[in-house]
Amino acid sequence: MRIRNGLRRVGDLPTTKAGVERAFSYFTAGVRLGTVAQMVPAVQLGAARSPHASAYVACWGAAALAAVAVSVVTLVRRRPPGTVVSVLDFALACALLVLGPLVLAPGDRFGTWVAFQPGYALSVVITAGGVRGLALWAGSLLGVAVCYLVYLGGEVGGDMISTAVGNVLTYVVYALVARMFFGYTRRIAHDADTSRARAAELARREEERRARVMMHNGVAVMRLLTEQSHGAPRSRLVDQAEVELRRMRSYLRGRGPDGRAGDDARAYDDGAGDEARAYDDGAGPSAGLVALVERSCDRFADLGVVALLDLGADLRIPAAQAEALERALDSLLLNVRTHARAHEVVVHLDGGEGWTLSVHDDGVGFDPASVTAGVGLREVVVGELRRRGLGVAIESAVGEGTTVTVRSRAGTETGPPAERDALADAS
């Protein structure tokens, strides 16, 4: 059970830099303690056959103690050995190889764990793959190879040459593989951390954008309520404030701009009643386009809105587009009330191929090329509608009013780019 819990704990490590380093510490401890476990069964035989039993036991004890110490340090620090520990580790491995011929019996340098020195050196080479410094790693590997040749001494001859060469190549190959393993895994963790940070930043920006979209119209209505300088009846402003209040509450409760809570698709509901909810042939939630436009126009009856909607009597649009379009219409009419000083506003709906909705006022207009876009037109109107797959074009000139055209196909926008993209909203 403990083993199973331990494996589960390793499998649950986060895919972050810290998580990867923690996994490396487990790997290092496993390799080093595993080497000690392989050394244990032969220690008694090695001491009995050694010409210097006490020296053999001392060397064996130093190797075992170092392996346990490195394992404990890595587990406590939650990362592989650092530069200082690695240098000491390599130095001990080289010393044990050099001292090997003195403490081993003739003929014991190959084939068994009585000669633990080469195996111990290999465990050091493998776990040192996590050392950051390339020069330190390469120099230490070279030192181990040279000391192994000293360890072989006069024992190499005949058939043993191939074994000796193979052992040296084992050091090199395992060192390279471990180095690539450590380096590539760290790179994956770095990319994962970077991606998470980028995703978090994008999510923060998107949430800020959503907040601006959801709060913009409400803030504009509240400003009109406090200023009362535009001639709009207070009762109508209160009605609009209630609509915006419902939208803001929906947002604060976790529902998206399209009225959805998470991934749960819901019928479009602007608080006007059950008649605002409908389903289009079972394909999903939708709303009547004419009813949507009429609701917005009714909230701004004091502007003298002329609504010509007969050509779109049977049109329905998806709930997400309906929510965004009604919010955009409210924002446009709020701009007219606040800035345009218009005598008449004409809202025209054409239900030909696709559909086209235009809002024209005969107010003061503006120069799209010289006026900076504000939150209202930039985000609530253009940004949100284009995100919902609708095309938006704005035409305006100083003294000639403004026309905003919304189309059901995003690729059919008209007008010069400067007129479409240089959108103004002094609010």
Side-chain angles (χ1 to χ4, degrees):
M1 183 63 69
R2 289 183 178 180
I3 294 177
R4 183 181 302 173
N5 291 336
L7 292 176
R8 185 181 297 114
R9 189 178 301 114
V10 173
D12 291 340
L13 286 173
T15 55
T16 61
K17 289 183 179 179
V20 165
E21 296 300 317
R22 182 70 178 273
F24 287 162
S25 72
Y26 291 153
F27 171 78
T28 299
V31 171
R32 301 305 292 275
L33 294 178
T35 300
V36 173
Q38 291 175 295
M39 292 166 53
V40 169
V43 61
Q44 185 175 3
L45 178 60
R49 297 177 58 173
S50 173
H52 304 284
S54 58
Y56 177 89
V57 172
C59 289
W60 189 97
L65 180 62
V68 172
V70 168
S71 300
V72 171
V73 169
T74 57
L75 291 175
V76 171
R77 296 173 72 241
R78 300 187 176 186
R79 57 181 184 272
T83 301
V84 175
V85 174
S86 295
V87 169
L88 295 176
D89 220 7
F90 271 114
L92 178 60
C94 290
L96 292 174
L97 286 172
V98 171
L99 294 175
L102 302 179
V103 299
L104 293 172
D108 281 349
R109 298 185 201 179
F110 289 101
T112 71
W113 275 96
V114 168
F116 62 86
Q117 293 87 343
Y120 178 82
L122 180 61
S123 71
V124 173
V125 167
I126 292 175
T127 56
V131 175
R132 300 283 183 176
L134 178 60
L136 170 63
W137 171 81
S140 300
L141 176 60
L142 178 61
V144 168
V146 171
C147 290
Y148 182 71
L149 294 178
V150 173
Y151 167 84
L152 296 177
E155 293 274 329
V156 180
D159 295 339
M160 302 305 297
I161 294 179
S162 60
T163 301
V165 173
N167 289 344
V168 172
L169 291 178
T170 298
Y171 288 133
V172 175
V173 171
Y174 273 84
L176 291 173
V177 170
R179 185 75 178 178
M180 288 188 292
F181 165 72
F182 278 94
Y184 183 66
T185 308
R186 279 172 172 158
R187 177 185 162 192
I188 292 175
H190 175 270
D191 290 348
D193 283 349
T194 302
S195 297
R196 274 188 287 265
R198 178 62 175 165
E201 175 63 16
L202 292 176
R204 183 189 66 79
R205 292 181 184 179
E206 174 63 14
E207 193 59 32
E208 288 181 352
R209 183 196 65 78
R210 287 183 57 209
R212 288 195 298 268
V213 168
M214 295 304 300
M215 304 299 179
H216 174 269
N217 289 359
V219 171
V221 172
M222 285 188 287
R223 189 181 68 182
L224 292 176
L225 276 170
T226 57
E227 293 179 355
Q228 280 290 293
S229 59
H230 296 278
R234 184 175 182 83
S235 60
R236 290 193 177 278
L237 291 178
V238 171
D239 290 342
Q240 293 170 36
E242 290 178 352
V243 172
E244 296 304 327
L245 177 61
R246 282 193 293 270
R247 288 174 176 164
M248 286 189 282
R249 280 177 174 172
S250 176
Y251 168 75
L252 294 174
R253 288 171 182 168
R255 295 180 65 175
D258 57 357
R260 298 172 183 235
D263 295 329
D264 179 26
R266 301 183 180 181
Y268 166 62
D269 178 11
D270 69 342
D274 291 338
E275 66 275 7
R277 302 172 186 170
Y279 288 84
D280 187 11
D281 299 328
S286 65
L289 184 54
V290 170
L292 177 155
V293 176
E294 287 178 341
R295 284 195 298 273
S296 283
C297 292
D298 288 344
R299 289 194 285 269
F300 294 87
D302 56 292
L303 296 178
V305 178
V306 177
L308 306 175
L309 310 175
D310 295 341
L311 296 178
D314 298 327
L315 292 174
R316 306 194 68 80
I317 61 175
Q321 288 186 349
E323 171 70 11
L325 182 58
E326 185 166 358
R327 191 164 52 244
L329 283 175
D330 286 352
S331 183
L332 288 173
L333 295 175
L334 277 171
N335 275 355
V336 172
R337 173 180 285 162
T338 306
H339 306 296
R341 299 195 293 275
H343 296 90
E344 185 179 64
V345 180
V346 178
V347 178
H348 181 266
L349 177 61
D350 186 355
E353 183 180 356
W355 55 265
T356 302
L357 178 68
S358 63
V359 180
H360 172 75
D361 69 76
D362 59 357
V364 297
F366 61 92
D367 180 7
S370 61
V371 180
T372 303
V375 173
L377 292 180
R378 185 183 69 245
E379 293 290 347
V380 181
V381 179
V382 176
E384 281 297 291
L385 293 183
R386 287 182 176 173
R387 287 183 183 92
R388 302 301 176 186
L390 300 175
V392 185
I394 296 181
E395 298 177 2
S396 186
V398 177
E400 297 182 8
T402 301
T403 300
V404 178
T405 304
V406 181
R407 293 182 174 85
S408 58
R409 296 183 179 180
T412 60
E413 296 155 329
T414 61
E419 292 182 354
R420 294 201 308 268
D421 298 331
L423 310 176
D425 176 19
S427 63

